Amino acid sequence: MPTAAALSAVPALSLSAAQTLIEATAILAFAASGLLEAARRRLDIIGVCTVVALAAFGGGTLRDILLDRRPLFWVAHAEWLWILLGLSLLAMLFLRGRHFEPTERAIQWPDALGLGLFTAGGTQLALDAGTPAIVAVVMGMITAVFGGVLRDIVCNEIPSAFRDHRPYAVCAFVGGWCVVAGERLGVADWLVLAGAAAITFALRALALLLDLRLPTWRGD
Amino acid sequence: MPTAAALSAVPALSLSAAQTLIEATAILAFAASGLLEAARRRLDIIGVCTVVALAAFGGGTLRDILLDRRPLFWVAHAEWLWILLGLSLLAMLFLRGRHFEPTERAIQWPDALGLGLFTAGGTQLALDAGTPAIVAVVMGMITAVFGGVLRDIVCNEIPSAFRDHRPYAVCAFVGGWCVVAGERLGVADWLVLAGAAAITFALRALALLLDLRLPTWRGD
Amino acid sequence: MPTAAALSAVPALSLSAAQTLIEATAILAFAASGLLEAARRRLDIIGVCTVVALAAFGGGTLRDILLDRRPLFWVAHAEWLWILLGLSLLAMLFLRGRHFEPTERAIQWPDALGLGLFTAGGTQLALDAGTPAIVAVVMGMITAVFGGVLRDIVCNEIPSAFRDHRPYAVCAFVGGWCVVAGERLGVADWLVLAGAAAITFALRALALLLDLRLPTWRGD
C-alpha cells in the first residue's frame, strides 16, 4: 500500500523507488522555494537553512502539532536535515542572482507535484485521525500551503499564498475533497492518494498554463 | 451548568439558546475583525479565510497547544469552518471600502463581549487543567488576545494589541484575576464565568467610552 | 546531578545556589534583549511583557511543543512570570533611550552565557527524548535561538539571527555536537552540560571579541 512517507511518521519501508523519487522531488521543490526566498533576502547560512526547512517541512509540522501526532516527519527522517543543510551550503556557494528567475520557473512543476502529494497525504492522515471532512481538507491545505506561509512570515512578507490571487491553495481545497469523496466511496487508499494528487496537480498546472486569477475585491 | 462552548472541546449540549447566541456573537465579532484587516490588505479568498479563522480561533488554538488539550474547538465544531467560509465569500462579494469604518465601529461592542467571554472561559479552562493562578490568567489573555495577534502577524504588522496603548489585554488581565478570585472563594462555575466576563466587558467598554490610554514610555 | 532547570519541566530542587544564579542570569539576559527591542519599538506594557517573555521562554516552549513535552518551563516555574512582569514595569518607568546602547553592550556577555546553557540543556533534553543526533542539535539551537527569532517576528523584523552574518546559532550548532560527542563517549551528564555550555560561550565570546563574520553570498 503506497503511502506518502513525506507525510507520515512511519518509515515507509515498502515504498518503491518510483514513489521515493516522486516524494523527494516534491520535498526538494518546496525546499528550493525557500532557498530562493532566502537568497533574495541575502540571509546568512542559519537563515537559509531555517527558511529552507520551514518551506519543506513547516506545513506538515504544523498539521502534526494541531492533530497532536508525533514524531514529526523530520524527527523520524533526520537524514533529510542533512540533505537540506547540504543543499543550503551548495546554494550559498553556487547560486547567483541571475539564476533566480530560471530556477523559479523550473521549480513550478515539481512544486505543483508537491502541492498534489502533500494535499492528498495530509487530508488522508487527518481523515485517519478521525477528523470531520472539512477539517481534514483544511489539514491537507495546511500541509501543502503553510510551509510557504511560514517561509514568508519569517522573511517579513504577507504570505504570497494569501495575496497573489492565483489558484494554489484553492487547488488543494478541491484535491482535499477528492480524497474525502474517494474514502467515502470506499476506493483503495493508494488510488485515492494518487488520484487526488493527480487532480490537484492538474488543476495547478492548468492555472499556471492559462495564467488564471482568482476573483478579487470589487472596486471601492 | 453554562460553559463557554466556544472555549471548550466538549459539545455543550446543555447550552441555552441565549448562551449560544452570546457565544456566536463573540466569535463572529472576532472573525469580523479578521475580515476587515484582510479586506484592507486586499487579500485573496484564501488569505481572507485564513485571517478570519486565525482571528476567531487562533487564541484558543494556541492556548490548547500550550496546555496540550485536544481536540481543538474548530475540529470539534467543524460547522464553524463552513460559517466562516461563507462569511468570507459574502464579504468579498458585498464588502466595500466605504463599509470599513462603520463596520469597525459596529464590532467594537461584540468584540468587547468576546474579550470578556474568551478571557473568562480560557482562564477557567487553565485553572481546571491545574495551572498556577498567574499561568491561568496568561492563558485567558492568550485565548482572548492572540487571535488578533496572529491576524496582525500574518498581515505583516506589529500586533495592535502590543502597541496601541489602549486597554484591551489589560482588561483581560483584570478579568482573569476575577476568575481566580471567584474560584478560590468557591463561587459556582457559571457565576464566575458570567461575572468575570461582565467585569472584563465593563472595563473594555469604559476604556472605549472614555478613550483611555495606557501610560507610555517617558521621553528621551 | 546538575540539570539546567531553565530547560527542564521538573523543579530542580538539588540546584546549588551557584547554578541557580547562572541560570537566572541567562534568563534575564534573554529577557533584557526582548526588553530593548520592545523599548525601541515603543510598545505598550502588554507588548513589552509579551516580547520579554517570548525572548526568554519562546525557544524552550517551541522545543517542548515539537517534542510534545509538558508542562512548559514557565507553567512549572510560574514565579518567573511575576519576575518578568516586574522587570517590564520597572523598565517602562526607568529605561530611557540613552540607556539602550550601554545596556545592549552589557548584556552581550550574559547573553552568550544563555546561548551556551540553553544550547547544551536543550540538546541534552532532546537526546534523552530519544531523537537522532542531528535532531537533538537542532532542538538545542531552537532552544537557544528561537526566543530571539519569535521576538523579532512579533516586532515585524526579519530575525537578526537569520541575517546579521555573525556567528550566533553557529556557535550553538558546534556546542550541540559537543553534547552529542560527550554523551556518546559516556561522559557524566553534568560534565557534558558544563563543557558544551563553556565551549559555546567561548566560541561566541571569540566571535564578539574578534568581530567575526559568516561568509556571505557572493556577488551577482
Side-chain angles (χ1 to χ4, degrees):
Chain A
M1 189 190 76
T3 54
L7 306 155
S8 154
V10 186
L13 295 171
S14 60
L15 271 186
S16 72
Q19 284 177 300
T20 306
L21 191 68
I22 292 176
E23 204 176 86
T25 310
I27 293 177
L28 289 175
F30 276 37
S33 80
L35 200 51
L36 286 176
E37 186 67 25
R40 272 201 210 88
R41 300 275 170 172
R42 304 258 147 183
L43 299 186
D44 60 28
I45 181 66
I46 297 296
V48 174
C49 290
T50 307
V51 172
V52 163
L54 273 179
F57 299 129
T61 299
L62 180 57
R63 179 208 57 215
D64 284 350
I65 289 174
L66 292 172
L67 290 176
D68 211 12
R69 297 177 76 248
R70 298 290 188 296
L72 304 170
F73 175 73
W74 51 274
V75 171
H77 296 84
E79 64 279 9
W80 269 106
L81 295 179
W82 287 112
I83 294 171
L84 296 188
L85 177 60
L87 187 74
S88 302
L89 286 170
L90 284 178
M92 290 199 76
L93 284 176
F94 297 114
L95 193 70
R96 297 284 171 279
R98 64 176 184 277
H99 302 142
F100 290 0
E101 218 210 302
T103 311
E104 193 145 68
R105 254 178 297 130
I107 65 171
Q108 279 184 343
W109 302 102
D111 182 86
L113 198 70
L115 183 71
L117 272 183
F118 280 53
T119 299
T123 308
Q124 220 169 32
L125 267 183
L127 283 177
D128 289 352
T131 65
I134 176 75
V135 173
V137 172
V138 167
M139 291 292 176
M141 294 170 74
I142 288 176
T143 308
V145 178
F146 263 69
V149 169
L150 293 173
R151 172 201 67 198
D152 291 347
I153 289 177
V154 161
C155 290
N156 203 18
E157 284 177 5
I158 297 184
S160 67
F162 294 167
R163 65 177 159 78
D164 72 356
H165 291 273
R166 284 159 196 279
Y168 189 82
V170 165
C171 307
F173 188 74
V174 176
W177 284 108
C178 296
V179 173
V180 172
E183 298 280 350
R184 292 270 161 91
L185 296 170
V187 180
D189 272 4
W190 72 267
L191 195 55
V192 170
L193 187 79
I199 290 170
T200 310
F201 174 82
L203 287 172
R204 175 64 181 160
L206 210 68
L208 284 173
L209 292 173
L210 304 182
D211 198 24
L212 296 179
R213 305 290 163 114
L214 294 172
T216 182
W217 295 86
R218 286 191 297 177
D220 186 23
Chain B
M1 189 190 75
T3 53
L7 305 155
S8 156
V10 187
L13 295 172
S14 60
L15 270 186
S16 71
Q19 283 177 302
T20 306
L21 190 68
I22 292 176
E23 205 175 86
T25 310
I27 293 177
L28 289 175
F30 276 38
S33 81
L35 199 51
L36 286 176
E37 186 66 26
R40 272 202 210 89
R41 300 275 168 172
R42 304 257 147 182
L43 299 185
D44 59 28
I45 181 65
I46 297 296
V48 174
C49 289
T50 308
V51 172
V52 163
L54 272 180
F57 300 129
T61 299
L62 180 56
R63 178 208 59 213
D64 284 350
I65 290 173
L66 292 172
L67 290 176
D68 211 12
R69 297 176 77 249
R70 296 292 187 297
L72 304 170
F73 175 73
W74 50 274
V75 172
H77 296 83
E79 65 278 9
W80 269 106
L81 295 178
W82 287 112
I83 295 171
L84 296 189
L85 177 60
L87 188 73
S88 302
L89 286 170
L90 283 178
M92 290 199 75
L93 284 177
F94 297 114
L95 193 69
R96 296 284 170 279
R98 64 176 185 278
H99 302 142
F100 290 0
E101 217 210 303
T103 311
E104 193 146 68
R105 254 178 298 129
I107 65 169
Q108 279 185 343
W109 302 102
D111 182 87
L113 198 70
L115 182 71
L117 271 183
F118 280 52
T119 299
T123 308
Q124 219 168 33
L125 267 182
L127 282 177
D128 288 352
T131 64
I134 175 77
V135 173
V137 172
V138 167
M139 290 295 177
M141 294 170 74
I142 287 176
T143 308
V145 178
F146 263 70
V149 168
L150 293 172
R151 172 201 67 199
D152 291 346
I153 289 177
V154 162
C155 289
N156 203 17
E157 285 178 4
I158 298 183
S160 67
F162 294 168
R163 65 177 159 78
D164 72 356
H165 291 274
R166 283 158 198 279
Y168 188 83
V170 165
C171 306
F173 188 74
V174 176
W177 284 109
C178 295
V179 173
V180 171
E183 298 281 350
R184 292 272 160 90
L185 296 170
V187 180
D189 271 4
W190 71 269
L191 194 56
V192 169
L193 187 78
I199 290 170
T200 309
F201 175 81
L203 287 172
R204 175 63 182 161
L206 210 68
L208 284 173
L209 292 173
L210 304 183
D211 198 25
L212 295 180
R213 305 290 164 113
L214 294 171
T216 182
W217 294 86
R218 285 191 298 177
D220 183 27
Chain C
M1 190 189 76
T3 54
L7 306 156
S8 155
V10 187
L13 296 171
S14 59
L15 272 186
S16 71
Q19 283 177 301
T20 307
L21 191 68
I22 292 176
E23 206 177 85
T25 309
I27 294 176
L28 289 175
F30 277 36
S33 81
L35 200 50
L36 286 176
E37 187 66 24
R40 273 202 210 88
R41 300 276 168 172
R42 303 257 147 183
L43 299 186
D44 59 28
I45 182 65
I46 296 296
V48 173
C49 289
T50 307
V51 172
V52 162
L54 272 180
F57 299 128
T61 298
L62 180 57
R63 179 209 56 214
D64 284 350
I65 289 173
L66 292 172
L67 291 176
D68 211 13
R69 298 177 76 248
R70 297 291 187 298
L72 304 170
F73 175 73
W74 50 275
V75 171
H77 296 84
E79 64 278 10
W80 269 107
L81 295 179
W82 288 112
I83 295 172
L84 296 188
L85 176 60
L87 188 73
S88 301
L89 286 171
L90 283 178
M92 290 199 76
L93 284 176
F94 298 114
L95 194 70
R96 297 283 170 280
R98 65 175 184 277
H99 302 143
F100 289 0
E101 217 212 301
T103 311
E104 193 146 68
R105 254 179 296 128
I107 66 170
Q108 279 185 342
W109 302 101
D111 183 86
L113 198 70
L115 183 70
L117 271 183
F118 280 52
T119 299
T123 309
Q124 219 167 33
L125 268 182
L127 283 177
D128 289 352
T131 65
I134 176 76
V135 173
V137 171
V138 167
M139 291 293 177
M141 293 171 74
I142 287 176
T143 309
V145 177
F146 263 70
V149 168
L150 293 173
R151 172 200 66 199
D152 291 346
I153 289 176
V154 162
C155 290
N156 202 18
E157 285 178 3
I158 298 183
S160 67
F162 294 167
R163 64 177 161 79
D164 72 356
H165 291 272
R166 284 158 197 280
Y168 188 82
V170 165
C171 306
F173 188 74
V174 177
W177 284 108
C178 295
V179 173
V180 172
E183 298 281 350
R184 293 271 160 90
L185 295 171
V187 179
D189 272 4
W190 71 268
L191 195 55
V192 169
L193 186 79
I199 290 170
T200 310
F201 174 82
L203 287 173
R204 175 63 182 161
L206 210 67
L208 284 173
L209 292 173
L210 303 183
D211 198 23
L212 295 179
R213 305 288 165 115
L214 294 172
T216 182
W217 294 85
R218 284 191 299 175
D220 185 26

